[in-house]
Structure formats: C-alpha cells, structure tokens
Amino acid sequence: MATIKVHAGDFTKGEGQVAFGYLTLKTKEKYIMGEGIAFSELDDVAVATEDSVKKIGGTVGWGIVGGVILGPVGLLAGLLLGGKKKEVTFVARFKDGRKLLATTDSKTFIKLQSAAF
C-alpha cells in the first residue's frame, strides 16, 4: 500500500491510499473512509507543471503548491535514471471529469501513469 498527499482538486486535502488497483481519496461526502476509485477510471496522469497546476487549481493557482512542484518538475530525469525514493507531484484527470493534484513516490506514480496509458 502506498500513500499519496492530496494538494488540490476535487478531493479533500490530506492523505490518500493506493492499493490493489484502487485510489482511496477523501471527499466531502466520504470524508472518513474515503472513496475507492479504480485505476481504470484514470483518464490522464502527468508530472505537474506550472500550466497544469493553473488548470487544475483555478484560483488556487501556482503559488500555494509552488514549493512542492519545483522539485518534481526536474525529477523526470531522475525517474528515468531509476531513482527509488523520490517524490513526484502529479496531476491526474478522471473519466468523470474530476481532477487531482498530489504527491507520491516515483514507483506509485509510474503505476498510476501506466494505468492511464
């Protein structure tokens, strides 16, 4: 089981879980247990950039998550070189239109990205 840290989007900020092909993310309606979302519901997963953060955050914008994003933008090369404990801040879009800005470890990011491919 892996952990993701939710920063912005259509889910409650805080920690979520990734296990057995599902993301468990808290919403306003399902704050205690969270909502289980199958990987098959992912439409797109990409490393967060300034443009993607502005699109997902709207008025939240780049400033709130700027410090978190700076490392992962340059992290892509590290991922390709096989970094193990690096964190990646990413943007995910789901087939139902919801969006997510979160951070997780590189191994989990690759699993999520592969599921959306």
Side-chain angles (χ1 to χ4, degrees):
M1 181 171 357
T3 301
I4 64 171
K5 183 174 180 181
V6 177
H7 303 293
D10 296 308
F11 301 93
T12 304
K13 292 180 185 179
E15 290 201 358
Q17 303 293 320
V18 179
F20 308 110
Y22 281 85
L23 289 136
T24 303
L25 303 170
K26 294 181 180 179
T27 63
K28 289 179 183 177
E29 297 80 20
K30 297 183 179 181
Y31 184 77
I32 295 174
M33 296 296 291
E35 176 182 348
I37 305 168
F39 283 7
S40 62
E41 293 302 309
L42 286 166
D43 190 39
D44 184 44
V45 177
V47 173
T49 64
E50 185 173 354
D51 287 338
S52 64
V53 171
K54 284 181 181 176
K55 286 179 186 173
I56 196 171
T59 59
V60 173
W62 180 251
I64 292 176
V65 292
V68 176
I69 302 299
L70 291 176
V73 171
L75 178 63
L76 191 55
L79 284 174
L80 297 174
L81 296 174
K84 293 190 180 204
K85 290 290 183 178
K86 305 269 183 188
E87 290 191 335
V88 179
T89 300
F90 65 94
V91 174
R93 285 190 240 4
F94 296 89
K95 292 178 181 176
D96 64 5
R98 293 185 289 179
K99 300 173 198 163
L100 169 69
L101 175 67
T103 300
T104 193
D105 62 89
S106 59
K107 185 177 177 183
T108 302
F109 169 74
I110 290 170
K111 286 181 184 178
L112 294 171
Q113 197 170 42
S114 296
F117 187 70

